Each structure stands twice: as C-alpha cells, then as structure tokens.
Amino acid sequence: VMDTLSFADLTLNLSTGELSCNGSTLKLNFKEKDIMKIFLVSPDSVVSKETLLNKVWGYDSEATDNNVEAYISFIRKKLKFLNSLVTIKNFQKTGYKLEATK
C-alpha cells in the first residue's frame, strides 16, 4: 500500500497527514491533506476548483470557490514555512497545479 506521495522535495504521509520537506514536518488538517493528495497523485495536471470542491467537500456541500481559495492559501503558507521548492500555481479560470522551482 502506498502510504506516502512525493513530489520534488515534498512527501505527504497519507496515514498521519504529515507533510515533510528537508527534515521538517508539519501536520495538515483533514481537508488540506485531501487537497494535497489530489495534487500529488497527478502533479503534472491542473486541478480545477470544481474538482477540489467535489472531491474534498463533496457534491452536496455548501462550500464555494472561496473555501478552496482559503485552503490553497493555508497550504501555501505551510509550503513556505517548510521552505519547500514546491508552490501551488494559480491558473486563471482553470485551477491549480503544483510547481517546483529548480
């Protein structure tokens, strides 16, 4: 069973929700972990807000694009805190994608 997902210098432990980078580790909350998992499963794909809303909050949810934006912002702060090379790039009108600076 794949217990971890990695991209560039980041590793996400799926059972603990811990995001690690260069020896530093942070715990993600439930939704942050779900969002990161979606990105890490297909790091080369642009993920739409709609996809994130449906997969993370569920089809029946009252959540909106603002919820997605807020969580993306939380995750960006955590990536920055970890000094990761990975950032979440925003594609206007399309969605988000992981990017690693060399």
Side-chain angles (χ1 to χ4, degrees):
V1 180
M2 275 292 294
D3 215 22
T4 58
L5 290 169
S6 298
F7 175 72
D9 60 359
L10 275 187
T11 303
L12 175 64
N13 182 315
L14 296 173
S15 32
T16 63
E18 289 176 338
L19 194 61
S20 311
C21 174
N22 306 318
S24 304
T25 302
L26 271 179
K27 188 123 169 73
L28 297 184
N29 74 34
F30 201 66
K31 287 198 173 17
E32 291 168 343
K33 183 186 97 173
D34 286 350
I35 291 169
M36 271 315 283
K37 181 180 172 186
I38 293 166
F39 284 132
L40 290 166
V41 167
S42 49
D44 300 323
S45 312
V46 174
V47 182
S48 72
K49 284 182 184 173
E50 193 181 347
T51 299
L52 291 170
L53 277 171
N54 291 337
K55 287 190 171 172
V56 176
W57 279 267
Y59 289 97
D60 307 331
S61 161
E62 305 272 311
T64 64
D65 286 1
N66 292 345
N67 296 77
V68 176
E69 286 158 22
Y71 274 88
I72 294 290
S73 164
F74 299 154
I75 296 169
R76 282 182 172 141
K77 288 189 177 97
K78 292 185 175 183
L79 292 173
K80 209 177 210 68
F81 180 82
L82 289 170
N83 289 317
S84 174
L85 299 172
V86 178
T87 54
I88 299 174
K89 184 139 166 51
N90 194 353
F91 289 85
Q92 281 303 325
K93 307 272 184 277
T94 345
Y96 302 97
K97 177 176 179 288
L98 290 185
E99 252 178 34
T101 47
K102 300 286 177 276

